[in-house]
Amino acid sequence: MLYRVSRFAVLAVFRLLWRPTIEGRALIPATGPLMVASNHLSFIDSIVIPLAVPRKVVFLAKAEYWEGRSPASWPRRLFFALFEAVPVQREQQQDAQASLDLARGVIERGDAFGIYPEGTRSRDGRLYRGRTGVGWLAMATGATVVPVGVVGTDRVQPIGATVPRVHRGVVVRFGEPVVPSDYAHLPPGKARREITDAVMSRIAALSGQELAGVYNERPAEAGA
């Protein structure tokens, strides 16, 4: 109930200030295990996408967002509490597997899971190569993967900005789902890679971004 009320209130404000365009929402399955895989341009992507999806969407968020007690951090902490984001560590290799296990739990309890296959925000606007965690989760849970292309969120809240700006060019586009059973005949490693590449190809078509062709690495200052 708290999630539904919070979503309704935030959605009303978002529609009033930013008037987003949402396309392809009918492509989102109403039932069954689900992942929503998006490009990542801004912190507010994790706000925009749950507002655009008719089902409950849960994202993982770096544990640093729960740290600190400055007044500037309160709105962010409140949002994560209301939308039930899951804090994760991202420093070690074992943290990556722990994150996937948490995501699997979200899907298996019936919620949709939001994921950024690039791993971190794009700092130059290009679309980076997808990491195969999205393929691993799809094969492990049987979740349908709906690709998403977000446009304009980097103008609402660029990297480094603490306060969102009013910008009327936000677009959220949903594309044709990727179904893991279509890849069941492949060896597991190849299936994970092909699912991931299919998802990223559809995200690129939806977002119109230039392809970087390499993986996106988090900056040393961990500000991603």
Side-chain angles (χ1 to χ4, degrees):
M1 177 62 71
L2 179 59
Y3 176 88
R4 290 196 295 270
V5 171
S6 301
R7 182 182 182 278
F8 178 83
V10 176
L11 181 59
V13 172
F14 187 69
R15 284 176 172 168
L16 176 65
L17 295 180
W18 289 281
R19 298 182 185 175
T21 299
I22 301 173
E23 302 173 0
R25 188 153 43 187
L27 295 168
I28 302 171
T31 60
L34 176 66
M35 279 192 286
V36 179
S38 178
N39 60 326
H40 197 14
L41 299 173
S42 169
F43 169 80
I44 70 160
D45 296 336
S46 298
I47 301 174
V48 171
I49 293 170
L51 295 177
V53 176
R55 295 175 58 177
K56 181 179 177 181
V57 180
V58 174
F59 278 91
L60 302 184
K62 60 183 182 180
E64 299 97 289
Y65 285 148
W66 276 261
E67 299 170 357
R69 294 293 185 271
S70 69
S73 70
W74 293 347
R76 184 173 59 196
R77 291 160 60 91
L78 176 61
F79 165 78
F80 283 132
L82 292 175
F83 282 76
E84 301 180 16
V86 179
V88 294
Q89 301 290 339
R90 306 190 305 173
E91 300 303 320
Q92 306 297 329
Q93 182 63 38
Q94 59 267 30
D95 293 335
Q97 185 58 52
S99 297
L100 291 175
D101 292 339
L102 286 170
R104 183 173 185 171
V106 169
I107 295 168
E108 290 179 344
R109 77 187 187 203
D111 293 329
F113 179 68
I115 187 169
Y116 302 116
E118 293 172 275
T120 190
R121 286 174 287 181
S122 173
R123 291 179 169 264
D124 58 13
R126 296 185 297 167
L127 185 69
Y128 285 80
R129 194 176 189 207
R131 300 181 185 273
T132 57
V134 63
W136 184 91
L137 276 172
M139 295 301 293
T141 64
T144 296
V145 187
V146 174
V148 187
V150 294
V151 178
T153 54
D154 53 333
R155 296 183 181 181
V156 173
Q157 190 169 7
I159 291 176
T162 57
V163 179
R165 306 166 181 172
V166 175
H167 172 69
R168 298 288 173 84
V170 174
V171 181
V172 184
R173 297 189 180 103
F174 299 98
E176 289 289 340
V178 175
V179 182
S181 59
D182 292 343
Y183 301 83
H185 63 286
L186 298 174
K190 186 173 179 61
R192 292 193 292 269
R193 184 72 262 170
E194 291 203 7
I195 289 172
T196 302
D197 289 345
V199 169
M200 297 309 295
S201 176
R202 296 181 194 192
I203 290 174
L206 295 165
S207 69
Q209 291 169 275
E210 176 188 348
L211 298 178
V214 296
Y215 291 113
N216 194 5
E217 301 295 339
R218 287 188 291 125
E221 68 272 18

